[in-house]
């Protein structure tokens, strides 16, 4: 195992739930993090690229010696605190109850590469009540809503041939391409892969189902058959999440879930954002990630 792979293995171990308290051995450093040993052979860009390959696109916390003044304890400050004014560069990744950081800082012998894993506050710790399901998903994951993008929904819906649920569209704007808790992966317009692009995947799946006449979706049909299934999310475990396009109002479409095994259909009568919120917070949800993680995050596959 080379040094980079060994470092990534250490990061994975420290970032996984149940690791225990983090205590750094560096003199003068606060509690709640661990600085990782790095040799001069490591390259900052290569290491950040390797971390992004595992944990998605990072947050930019410091650049050119200037830390983002808006960073708080819930948005990455634990990655900056050990270095104070010595910080030069820092990128941060949220992963369950940990922050993962990689950057550079000034030392007596010059600027050196640094990497660390730090405790992450639960972004939903003070959440009194959910004002909307979308806001609840943002609060539970600690997502930065200023990262929202603009989508030409008129063009998207014209190509798909139907209006889409309003709260799904808001989730797609706010979060973009990526996965909740590294599991539930949204299909969004303009994703880099056909399987993740809701327009291209809907067109492909509808044509495949029409020409193959498969029994994979029995007793349902696949959109664009009237009332058919329209897939809006999936998982690495090949779980599939659909709207049952039954009725003229997309906001009232039920959600049907299916594992990659026969006769595994489950139904959820609620909105898309309500489904995601319950998946993250309700241990009784059939596809719950709350059974595995107490603190939640969104792993972004979009641009940095």
């Amino acid at each position: 195992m080379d040094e980079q792979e060994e470092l990534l293995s250490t990061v994975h171990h420290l970032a996984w739930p149940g690791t225990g308290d983090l205590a750094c051995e560096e003199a003068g450093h606060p509690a709640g993090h661990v600085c990782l040993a790095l040799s001069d052979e490591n390259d900052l860009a290569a290491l950040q690229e390797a971390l992004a390959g595992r944990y998605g696109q990072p947050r930019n916390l410091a650049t050119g010696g200037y830390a983002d003044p808006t960073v708080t304890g819930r948005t990455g400050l634990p990655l900056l605190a050990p270095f104070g004014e010595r910080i030069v560069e820092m990128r941060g990744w949220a992963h369950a109850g940990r922050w993962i950081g990689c950057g550079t800082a000034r030392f007596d012998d010059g600027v050196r590469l640094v990497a660390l894993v730090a405790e992450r506050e639960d972004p939903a710790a003070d959440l009194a009540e959910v004002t909307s399901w979308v806001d609840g998903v943002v609060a539970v994951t600690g997502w930065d809503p200023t990262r929202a993008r603009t989508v030409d929904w008129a063009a998207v819906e014209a190509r798909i041939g139907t209006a889409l649920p309003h709260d799904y569209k808001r989730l797609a704007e706010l979060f973009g391409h990526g996965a909740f808790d590294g599991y539930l992966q949204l299909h969004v317009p303009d994703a880099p892969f056909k399987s993740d692009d809701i327009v291209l995947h809907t067109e492909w799946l509808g044509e495949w189902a029409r020409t193959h006449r498969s029994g994979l979706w029995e007793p349902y049909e696949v959109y664009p058959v009237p009332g058919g299934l329209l897939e809006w999310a999936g998982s690495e475990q090949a779980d599939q999440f659909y709207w049952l396009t039954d009725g003229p109002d997309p906001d009232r479409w039920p959600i049907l879930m299916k594992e990659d095994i026969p006769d595994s259909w489950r139904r959820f009568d609620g909105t898309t954002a309500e489904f995601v919120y319950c998946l993250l917070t309700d241990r009784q949800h059939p596809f719950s990630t709350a059974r595995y993680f107490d603190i939640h995050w969104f792993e972004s596959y979009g641009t940095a």
Side-chain angles (χ1 to χ4, degrees):
M1 181 183 297
D2 64 24
E3 184 175 351
Q4 186 179 96
E5 283 300 315
E6 185 174 354
L7 177 65
L8 292 172
S9 178
T10 300
V11 168
H12 180 74
H13 170 72
L14 291 173
W16 198 252
T19 302
D21 296 334
L22 300 178
C24 188
E25 298 180 356
E26 296 287 336
H29 278 205
H33 79 281
V34 170
C35 285
L36 306 175
L38 299 172
S39 75
D40 294 336
E41 296 179 2
N42 284 282
D43 176 74
L44 176 61
L47 185 52
Q48 289 180 341
E49 182 179 356
L51 288 167
R54 293 197 178 189
Y55 302 104
Q57 291 298 335
R59 301 185 184 195
N60 186 2
L61 305 178
T63 301
Y66 294 96
D68 181 348
T70 67
V71 174
T72 68
R74 293 192 176 182
T75 59
L77 189 60
L79 297 174
L80 302 177
F83 309 103
E85 294 182 354
R86 294 182 292 124
I87 197 70
V88 178
E89 306 281 339
M90 183 60 68
R91 304 291 183 272
W93 293 261
H95 183 81
R98 297 286 195 258
W99 285 105
I100 300 163
C102 180
T104 56
R106 299 182 188 88
F107 293 87
D108 291 341
D109 57 350
V111 174
R112 298 205 313 256
L113 182 67
V114 294
L116 68 161
V117 177
E119 301 282 1
R120 178 174 176 244
E121 295 179 34
D122 183 354
D126 298 328
L127 183 63
E129 61 179 308
V130 175
T131 55
S132 77
W133 296 119
V134 171
D135 290 342
V137 174
V138 170
V140 164
T141 58
W143 189 247
D144 179 4
T146 65
R147 298 173 74 173
R149 63 183 187 137
T150 300
V151 178
D152 184 351
W153 289 112
V156 169
E157 292 172 329
R159 185 161 172 183
I160 292 177
T162 180
L164 299 173
H166 285 88
D167 65 344
Y168 156 77
K169 291 189 285 189
R170 188 59 182 147
L171 288 175
E173 290 170 346
L174 285 169
F175 291 92
H177 184 220
F180 294 97
D181 282 2
Y183 165 71
L184 182 75
Q185 185 166 312
L186 287 177
H187 292 181
V188 298
D190 301 320
F193 307 108
K194 177 188 288 187
S195 59
D196 300 333
D197 185 310
I198 193 167
V199 175
L200 298 179
H201 184 70
T202 298
E203 292 175 340
W204 172 84
L205 191 63
E207 180 62 17
W208 193 95
R210 184 186 68 82
T211 56
H212 288 73
R213 307 307 303 170
S214 170
L216 288 173
W217 297 277
E218 291 182 350
Y220 305 101
E221 299 280 357
V222 174
Y223 182 86
V225 172
L229 299 169
L230 200 165
E231 189 171 0
W232 60 271
S235 79
E236 289 187 357
Q237 291 74 30
D239 302 321
Q240 298 134 38
F241 304 87
Y242 302 90
W243 295 301
L244 184 64
T245 60
D246 185 17
D249 184 359
D251 294 328
R252 299 179 67 85
W253 288 345
I255 290 170
L256 290 173
M257 305 153 272
K258 184 180 183 298
E259 298 177 77
D260 193 27
I261 55 177
D263 301 321
S264 59
W265 291 107
R266 299 178 187 230
R267 177 171 171 139
F268 180 87
D269 289 297
T271 71
T272 307
E274 181 182 359
F275 178 89
V276 175
Y277 181 83
C278 291
L279 177 142
L280 296 171
T281 61
D282 182 359
R283 291 174 179 268
Q284 303 307 312
H285 190 286
F287 289 82
S288 172
T289 60
R291 292 196 290 265
Y292 309 103
F293 304 108
D294 295 324
I295 300 176
H296 306 282
W297 77 104
F298 182 75
E299 190 170 288
S300 173
Y301 305 148
T303 56

